[in-house]
Amino acid sequence: MALLVQKFGGTSVGDIERIEAVAERVIKARQQGHQVVVVVSAMAGETNRLLGLAKQVDDVPNQRELDVLLSTGEQVTIALLAMALNKRGFRATSMTADQVTIRTDNAFNNASIIQVDTENLTSLLNAGHIVVVAGFQGRDSGNNITTLGRGGSDTTAVAIASALGADECQIFTDVDGVYTTDPRLVTAARRLSTIHFDDMTAMARFGAKVLQLQSVEYAQSHQVPLRVLSSFEDGDGTLVDFSVSQPCAAVGVAVMSQQLLVRVAAPFNEVAERLTLLGFEAWCYAEESDATLVVVANDDLARLKWGLSSPTVTVAGVSTLSLVGEHVHQLQGSLHAALAECGLTIYQQKQSARCLSILIDSADQQLAVDHLHKTFVVDAESLDNQTFLAVS
Amino acid sequence: MALLVQKFGGTSVGDIERIEAVAERVIKARQQGHQVVVVVSAMAGETNRLLGLAKQVDDVPNQRELDVLLSTGEQVTIALLAMALNKRGFRATSMTADQVTIRTDNAFNNASIIQVDTENLTSLLNAGHIVVVAGFQGRDSGNNITTLGRGGSDTTAVAIASALGADECQIFTDVDGVYTTDPRLVTAARRLSTIHFDDMTAMARFGAKVLQLQSVEYAQSHQVPLRVLSSFEDGDGTLVDFSVSQPCAAVGVAVMSQQLLVRVAAPFNEVAERLTLLGFEAWCYAEESDATLVVVANDDLARLKWGLSSPTVTVAGVSTLSLVGEHVHQLQGSLHAALAECGLTIYQQKQSARCLSILIDSADQQLAVDHLHKTFVVDAESLDNQTFLAVS
């Protein structure tokens, strides 16, 4: 008998039919003898509907009250799922953040979990109940309702798994695992059966959307094994833990699209400092002594312009491609050679933990990701890592 | 400076525009120097939408989880109203039942308030905040979410007013006060400026929908003055308190439509006992030793038939008209005379506290209510009560 925390996102609970499918899946685990805590998000579309109501009242709604509003979305889902489980003859009890209790700091709209009480959870589990917990929400020390920011339900699940010492935290989503690259871009992308936390962190940081960065980091630091599974199909998914990823040159290629390269008429140090003050996590680098290039998401351009006092010019639409893996720093030479083969220009490159990133023109994205994935993931599979690194 | 509790129902907060109108109305009271606690219902239609979701999952949803679901409706409204108040520069803070705390028994879907804590409310009021409280909801001793049943927001408002020792509990609704009879039926109906609790209780018990019976009884037993006001127009509304109602023969005529007279082939005692077991508050009386007549709302017929083991026959569509007032028991003779003038048949009559009720054919309802209202309310106004009673 294991103790499992299972998390289902908004698409997985998007309508009553899907909520009933989630109930069946939870019951399957229960029937295998496991204790189960289920964490759910708001039904797909609900958070946006609520945000729309708030925006009708105020373009910049009061932050405390926005969390009171948004937290109702998850509360609706926990009630409906618990009803579906009870209807099927399984004892199930829903819990809001205050009933658990999930304690956070008081950063409304973007709170961090400080502590999860286990007493109420454990007594229900021991009484044979399936416990259905509202994700995304918490309470601060003043008992105000808080939310963790978008995607925060993953973090709720990991925090509960950590507090309970669960055997696994299972994240159910609309894909059946973590892929070597975005399968919507590259048909040859394949599912990884395991991936190391460090590689998963790099993948999430540089564009993989399957898991939220914050929840991966939380799981790693609390040593909670994560498993990514499909809500819709059976399968083993991808296990994220501390085992070594398979010996390929690169574990995967992360892709960040929809970015702009912007020239700012100011020295690098000044721009970098300003971006930090604005809370922008943007890639930026010096072009000349009085000009700096900044990479921002398309959607952030207006905010960037508003936040900088210096004139800006958009240079190009760009994409960031990142090779991820323990040894990718050694691949720099082969990467340049591979891209030269395709006749591509690299605007800039940088190294970070288990990651080698290049900035290219967005028009070249498809060609580049196909080529890098083939060279450093697919073709490299037939060789072991040391051989590949020696060859390249 | 007074302490006011203002309650706005679902129609009054039915969309963002109306929520903003409520904000303006609350601000008016605040600007007059009053401390204000606002209690709100779910936006019109929201409770039915949520119930619809629950019914899709289960025809008879788990009662605990239904309350978890339904209580989100009021939580949405408190957040939006608090945002609207903050946007207008007024400090406002929303509170759910657990934040207040509002303690109830554990009768899910139909809970009763046991206690309202005042500490959190008072400290916010003293800090100059407008406090916006979710109506209809509470927490039982196990910290489970409960709801008070339909219309329970009125009771929430009265309970808070009582706990805080508020000067007045103002119920804002879509009519501008309590009328002498249903103004949709009788154009000559007029608004009462005051009405005694006992009369209001009788009006509510016998068909007046402007105030919920439970909240009137709660207000009376806790000595909380109630005022019924229009959400949409200025005015003094109707004050419900312990002052003597105006000296008319009758304060008003309450009307219950959409009823059926049903013959049950069983002795009176047996039927009465059975109805009590079923939780039916139905008017019933013996016809013969082995036949009993029962008055039920149209909507309750199926449940009545299901609950009784004896055969039933529907005799007629009927209405209950009730003269309400301190001295109406003395009017029995004049009532019969008045109805005889119109050629109407009375199926049955009964007396209860401050109330004289007759059961008539529903086809005669309009004629009868017009005539009774004219005779015992309008014409009687020109005479003082003693004179009228002597004349009649």
Side-chain angles (χ1 to χ4, degrees):
Chain A
M1 185 185 81
L3 171 51
L4 303 178
V5 176
Q6 301 191 320
K7 182 261 169 180
F8 295 88
T11 315
S12 307
V13 294
D15 56 33
I16 299 296
E17 206 177 314
R18 291 199 165 176
I19 287 174
E20 293 187 326
V22 167
E24 299 291 349
R25 195 168 261 283
V26 170
I27 286 169
K28 208 182 279 180
R30 189 80 193 89
Q31 285 176 328
Q32 287 163 359
H34 303 311
Q35 290 187 315
V36 187
V37 176
V38 192
V39 175
V40 288
S41 303
M43 295 166 77
E46 180 64 4
T47 302
N48 283 334
R49 184 184 75 87
L50 293 168
L51 264 178
L53 287 173
K55 296 276 179 190
Q56 278 184 63
V57 175
D58 194 346
D59 279 338
V60 187
N62 180 282
Q63 292 193 309
R64 178 191 185 277
E65 300 304 335
L66 188 58
D67 282 351
V68 175
L69 183 72
L70 294 183
S71 66
T72 62
E74 285 69 25
Q75 189 169 326
V76 167
T77 318
I78 57 173
L80 294 172
L81 179 56
M83 284 176 196
L85 290 164
N86 277 290
K87 189 193 177 188
R88 286 161 175 77
F90 288 78
R91 280 174 298 172
T93 301
S94 72
M95 300 186 90
T96 56
D98 82 284
Q99 290 174 321
V100 170
T101 307
I102 300 173
R103 189 65 65 207
T104 70
D105 61 21
N106 64 359
F108 293 122
N109 314 158
N110 195 28
S112 298
I113 293 178
I114 292 168
Q115 196 195 317
V116 176
D117 290 352
T118 57
E119 191 185 329
N120 297 334
L121 286 169
T122 304
S123 75
L124 280 169
L125 288 170
N126 289 345
H129 285 240
I130 297 165
V131 186
V132 184
V133 178
F136 178 66
Q137 58 183 245
R139 290 288 176 111
D140 71 9
S141 60
N143 201 25
N144 296 296
I145 295 170
T146 56
T147 70
L148 310 181
R150 286 247 163 173
S153 294
D154 285 10
T155 308
T156 303
V158 173
I160 288 175
S162 165
L164 290 172
D167 296 280
E168 213 169 84
C169 179
Q170 303 182 329
I171 309 286
F172 289 82
T173 176
D174 50 0
V175 293
D176 65 348
V178 180
Y179 274 71
T180 48
T181 191
D182 187 340
R184 287 166 304 182
L185 292 178
V186 182
T187 51
R190 59 172 191 74
R191 181 174 57 80
L192 295 161
S193 57
T194 62
I195 183 171
H196 191 280
F197 271 117
D198 287 335
D199 292 332
M200 189 66 239
T201 300
M203 292 287 278
R205 190 185 297 280
F206 287 98
K209 293 193 176 59
V210 59
L211 284 175
Q212 250 232 317
L213 178 59
Q214 200 190 1
S215 62
V216 177
E217 290 176 334
Y218 197 106
Q220 178 165 19
S221 66
H222 292 77
Q223 310 204 354
V224 176
L226 277 181
R227 189 181 292 276
V228 179
L229 292 158
S230 163
S231 303
F232 308 112
E233 300 163 24
D234 286 332
D236 293 331
T238 300
L239 181 67
V240 187
D241 67 2
F242 292 96
S243 52
V244 177
S245 300
Q246 55 265 54
C248 286
V251 168
V253 183
V255 183
M256 289 180 98
S257 313
Q258 312 286 329
Q259 296 180 307
L260 295 171
L261 185 63
V262 177
R263 178 179 294 115
V264 185
F268 174 79
N269 284 349
E270 191 182 310
V271 173
E273 194 177 323
R274 189 83 192 152
L275 289 175
T276 305
L277 279 174
L278 291 169
F280 255 105
E281 269 201 56
W283 184 357
C284 72
Y285 54 95
E287 189 185 37
E288 299 160 21
S289 62
D290 57 354
T292 305
L293 289 164
V294 182
V295 183
V296 285
N298 290 2
D299 293 345
D300 286 338
L301 182 61
R303 194 158 70 94
L304 179 78
K305 286 185 169 181
W306 172 84
L308 293 174
S309 45
S310 320
T312 59
V313 179
T314 300
V315 178
V318 289
S319 294
T320 306
L321 301 191
S322 304
L323 290 181
V324 170
E326 194 176 350
H327 304 291
V328 292
H329 290 180
Q330 300 173 42
L331 296 175
Q332 198 164 324
S334 6
L335 175 63
H336 280 258
L339 291 167
E341 274 175 31
C342 318
L344 298 187
T345 313
I346 301 180
Y347 284 105
Q348 187 67 206
Q349 65 168 56
K350 69 172 171 183
Q351 295 186 0
S352 49
R354 294 201 180 211
C355 198
L356 184 61
S357 302
I358 54 167
L359 191 67
I360 59 168
D361 203 277
S362 58
D364 297 331
Q365 176 187 296
Q366 187 64 49
L367 184 64
V369 65
D370 277 335
H371 194 63
L372 294 189
H373 185 262
K374 183 172 187 309
T375 308
F376 295 99
V377 181
V378 180
D379 291 353
E381 264 184 47
S382 49
L383 308 168
D384 71 35
N385 205 20
Q386 291 312 315
T387 315
F388 183 88
L389 290 171
V391 170
S392 66
Chain B
M1 187 184 81
L3 172 51
L4 302 178
V5 175
Q6 300 190 320
K7 182 259 169 181
F8 294 88
T11 314
S12 307
V13 294
D15 56 33
I16 299 296
E17 204 175 317
R18 290 198 167 178
I19 287 173
E20 295 187 323
V22 167
E24 298 291 349
R25 195 167 262 284
V26 170
I27 285 169
K28 206 181 281 181
R30 189 84 192 87
Q31 284 175 328
Q32 287 164 359
H34 304 310
Q35 291 187 315
V36 187
V37 177
V38 192
V39 175
V40 288
S41 303
M43 294 166 77
E46 180 65 3
T47 302
N48 283 334
R49 185 185 76 86
L50 293 167
L51 263 177
L53 286 173
K55 296 275 179 190
Q56 279 184 63
V57 175
D58 194 344
D59 279 340
V60 187
N62 179 283
Q63 291 193 310
R64 178 190 184 276
E65 300 304 333
L66 187 59
D67 282 352
V68 175
L69 182 71
L70 295 184
S71 65
T72 62
E74 284 70 25
Q75 190 168 325
V76 166
T77 318
I78 56 172
L80 294 172
L81 178 56
M83 284 175 196
L85 289 164
N86 277 289
K87 190 193 176 188
R88 285 162 176 75
F90 287 79
R91 281 174 298 172
T93 301
S94 72
M95 300 187 90
T96 57
D98 82 284
Q99 290 174 321
V100 169
T101 307
I102 300 173
R103 189 66 63 207
T104 70
D105 60 22
N106 63 359
F108 293 121
N109 313 159
N110 195 27
S112 297
I113 293 178
I114 292 168
Q115 197 194 318
V116 175
D117 289 353
T118 56
E119 191 185 329
N120 297 334
L121 286 170
T122 304
S123 74
L124 280 168
L125 288 171
N126 289 345
H129 285 240
I130 297 165
V131 187
V132 184
V133 178
F136 178 65
Q137 59 183 243
R139 290 287 176 111
D140 71 9
S141 59
N143 201 24
N144 297 295
I145 295 169
T146 56
T147 69
L148 309 181
R150 288 249 162 171
S153 293
D154 285 9
T155 308
T156 303
V158 173
I160 289 175
S162 164
L164 289 172
D167 295 282
E168 213 169 84
C169 180
Q170 302 181 330
I171 309 287
F172 288 81
T173 177
D174 50 1
V175 293
D176 65 347
V178 180
Y179 275 71
T180 49
T181 192
D182 188 340
R184 289 167 302 184
L185 292 178
V186 182
T187 51
R190 59 172 192 76
R191 181 174 57 80
L192 295 160
S193 56
T194 62
I195 183 172
H196 191 280
F197 271 116
D198 288 335
D199 292 332
M200 189 64 238
T201 299
M203 292 288 276
R205 190 185 296 280
F206 288 98
K209 294 192 176 59
V210 60
L211 283 175
Q212 251 230 317
L213 178 59
Q214 202 190 359
S215 61
V216 177
E217 290 176 335
Y218 197 106
Q220 178 165 20
S221 66
H222 291 77
Q223 310 205 353
V224 176
L226 278 180
R227 187 181 293 276
V228 180
L229 292 157
S230 163
S231 303
F232 309 112
E233 300 162 26
D234 286 331
D236 294 331
T238 300
L239 181 67
V240 188
D241 66 3
F242 292 95
S243 52
V244 176
S245 301
Q246 54 265 53
C248 287
V251 169
V253 183
V255 183
M256 289 180 98
S257 311
Q258 311 287 327
Q259 295 179 309
L260 295 171
L261 185 63
V262 178
R263 178 179 294 116
V264 185
F268 174 78
N269 284 349
E270 192 182 308
V271 173
E273 193 177 324
R274 189 81 194 155
L275 289 175
T276 305
L277 280 173
L278 291 170
F280 256 106
E281 268 202 56
W283 182 359
C284 73
Y285 55 95
E287 189 185 36
E288 299 159 21
S289 63
D290 57 353
T292 306
L293 288 166
V294 182
V295 183
V296 285
N298 290 3
D299 294 343
D300 286 338
L301 183 62
R303 194 159 70 93
L304 179 79
K305 285 184 168 178
W306 172 85
L308 292 175
S309 45
S310 319
T312 59
V313 179
T314 299
V315 179
V318 289
S319 294
T320 306
L321 301 192
S322 304
L323 289 181
V324 170
E326 193 176 352
H327 303 291
V328 291
H329 290 178
Q330 300 172 43
L331 297 175
Q332 198 164 322
S334 6
L335 175 63
H336 280 258
L339 291 167
E341 273 175 32
C342 319
L344 298 187
T345 313
I346 301 180
Y347 283 106
Q348 187 66 206
Q349 65 169 55
K350 69 172 171 183
Q351 294 188 359
S352 49
R354 293 203 181 211
C355 197
L356 184 61
S357 302
I358 55 168
L359 189 68
I360 58 167
D361 203 276
S362 57
D364 297 332
Q365 175 187 297
Q366 188 63 50
L367 183 64
V369 66
D370 276 335
H371 194 63
L372 294 190
H373 186 262
K374 180 168 190 308
T375 308
F376 296 100
V377 180
V378 180
D379 290 353
E381 264 185 49
S382 49
L383 307 168
D384 72 36
N385 205 17
Q386 291 311 314
T387 314
F388 182 88
L389 291 170
V391 170
S392 65

